[in-house]
């Protein structure tokens, strides 16, 4: 059983580690052209791109005036799957997966197959590139030829991760790629997170959205499993403080265990049960113990946790 405890006034530390997930506001993956350059050399910021090589005003023309709720950019894309034009692939996916679309025709845009973009200023359709071949405008101050990603809002600090194969946000210096977990994590977790094979390549255990491509913030639990931040908060609102996958505590529960010690001491068992012994498995440390039965909870003899289950 998972923990279901009211922590009102007791929980004060040990929050799960959180990270901003760059995906899909900046996580468009994949090939646009063949190249022998490393992927990160095909991504350009405002300091190093084709847009400002001529020293003219094309980089600033129309800047932040075009785009959609997902990106500020000066181009639209032609979807290779349905041949329709959209501001970005998220706009496509929202439109083509709407409840108004027949289930048979619902689909996601295969981002790695995008070949054509349309300049928002002059309307010229062309192969994927950063600078419009007709009017010369910069279609995105940040441009990744590998991911076919355009974005004028460089405050997001976009960067391409070769390990993930996609672009992320938050600044390359603030993240590292864990090859075992299969994703970029905050450098704050570099020497402290528990590695779980392919931790990010799973669905959220609460809402079942695929975490690697999620646009929502993700939290890395002490056990190494991952979950949406909002889903974790919803669990805590219902007094659930155990990982849905492995049942380990998701935060420091020591203050709660102290309160349970007091409650158990103040709740003597009837004489019939005073000598009743039970075998328990600790969800936190994995130790099997034989302890005295109590109706409130059973305490692990090894780590002193009450996050246990009877065997």
């Amino acid at each position: 059983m998972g923990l279901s405890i009211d922590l009102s006034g007791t929980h004060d530390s040990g929050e799960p580690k959180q990270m901003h997930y760059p995906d899909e506001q900046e996580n468009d993956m994949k090939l646009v052209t063949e190249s022998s350059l490393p992927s990160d050399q095909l991504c350009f910021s405002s300091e190093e791109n084709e847009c400002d090589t001529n020293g003219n005003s094309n980089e600033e023309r129309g800047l932040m005036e075009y785009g959609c709720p997902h990106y500020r950019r000066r181009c639209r894309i032609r979807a290779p799957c349905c041949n329709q034009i959209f501001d970005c692939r998220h706009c496509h996916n929202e439109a083509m997966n709407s409840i108004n679309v027949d289930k048979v025709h619902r689909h996601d845009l295969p981002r790695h197959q995008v070949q054509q973009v349309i300049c928002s200023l002059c309307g010229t359709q062309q192969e994927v590139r950063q600078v419009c071949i007709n009017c010369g405008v910069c279609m995105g101050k940040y441009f990744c030829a590998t991911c076919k990603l355009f974005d004028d809002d460089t405050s997001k600090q976009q960067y391409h991760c070769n390990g993930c194969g996609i672009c992320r946000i938050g600044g390359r210096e603030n993240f590292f790629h864990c090859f075992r977990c299969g994703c970029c994590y905050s450098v704050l977790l570099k020497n402290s997170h528990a590695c779980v094979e392919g931790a990010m390549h799973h669905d959220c255990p609460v809402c079942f959205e695929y975490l690697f491509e999620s646009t929502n913030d993700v939290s890395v639990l002490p056990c190494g499993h991952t979950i949406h931040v909002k889903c974790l908060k919803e669990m805590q609102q219902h007094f659930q403080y155990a990982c849905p996958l492995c049942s380990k505590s998701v935060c420091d529960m020591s203050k709660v265990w102290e309160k349970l010690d007091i409650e158990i001491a103040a709740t003597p068992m009837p004489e019939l049960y005073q000598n009743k012994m039970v075998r328990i498995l600790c969800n936190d440390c994995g130790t099997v113990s034989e302890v005295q039965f109590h109706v409130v909870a059973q305490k692990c003899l090894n780590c002193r946790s009450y996050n246990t289950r009877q065997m």
Side-chain angles (χ1 to χ4, degrees), residues 19-66:
M19 57 189 178
H20 252 45
Y21 245 105
D23 198 67
E24 314 275 283
Q25 258 89 12
E26 256 66 66
N27 175 26
D28 297 1
M29 176 180 162
K30 211 67 177 150
L31 289 163
V32 54
T33 58
E34 293 292 333
S35 174
S36 59
L37 288 175
S39 299
D40 54 1
Q41 292 184 27
L42 293 173
C43 299
F44 307 97
S45 66
S46 57
E47 288 76 27
E48 43 173 311
N49 57 29
E50 300 177 36
C51 296
D52 56 0
T53 55
N54 297 323
N56 56 35
S57 61
N58 281 336
E59 183 183 356
E60 303 300 324
R61 186 153 53 99
L63 180 67
M64 303 298 286
E65 296 177 11
Y66 297 87

Side-chain angles (χ1 to χ4, degrees), residues 19-25 27 111 164 166 168 181-185 196 198-221 224-232 243-245:
M19 57 189 178
H20 252 45
Y21 245 105
D23 198 67
E24 314 275 283
Q25 258 89 12
N27 175 26
R111 49 190 173 183
C164 291
I166 54 179
R168 297 292 193 189
C181 295
C183 198
C184 285
Y185 285 171
V196 173
M200 282 297 298
H201 293 267
H202 295 284
D203 296 339
C204 172
V206 174
C207 70
F208 303 111
E209 180 186 10
Y210 187 49
L211 289 171
F212 188 75
E213 296 185 347
S214 176
T215 60
N216 298 310
D217 290 351
V218 174
S219 181
V220 182
L221 303 180
H225 292 123
T226 49
I227 185 174
H228 282 130
V229 171
K230 65 177 183 179
C231 293
L232 180 61
C243 172
L245 297 177

Side-chain angles (χ1 to χ4, degrees), residues 121-137:
L121 276 73
C122 69
T124 302
Q125 180 167 306
Q126 55 205 283
E127 292 185 356
V128 176
R129 52 180 292 143
Q130 188 174 19
V131 176
C132 176
I133 58 174
N134 181 49
C135 68
V137 74

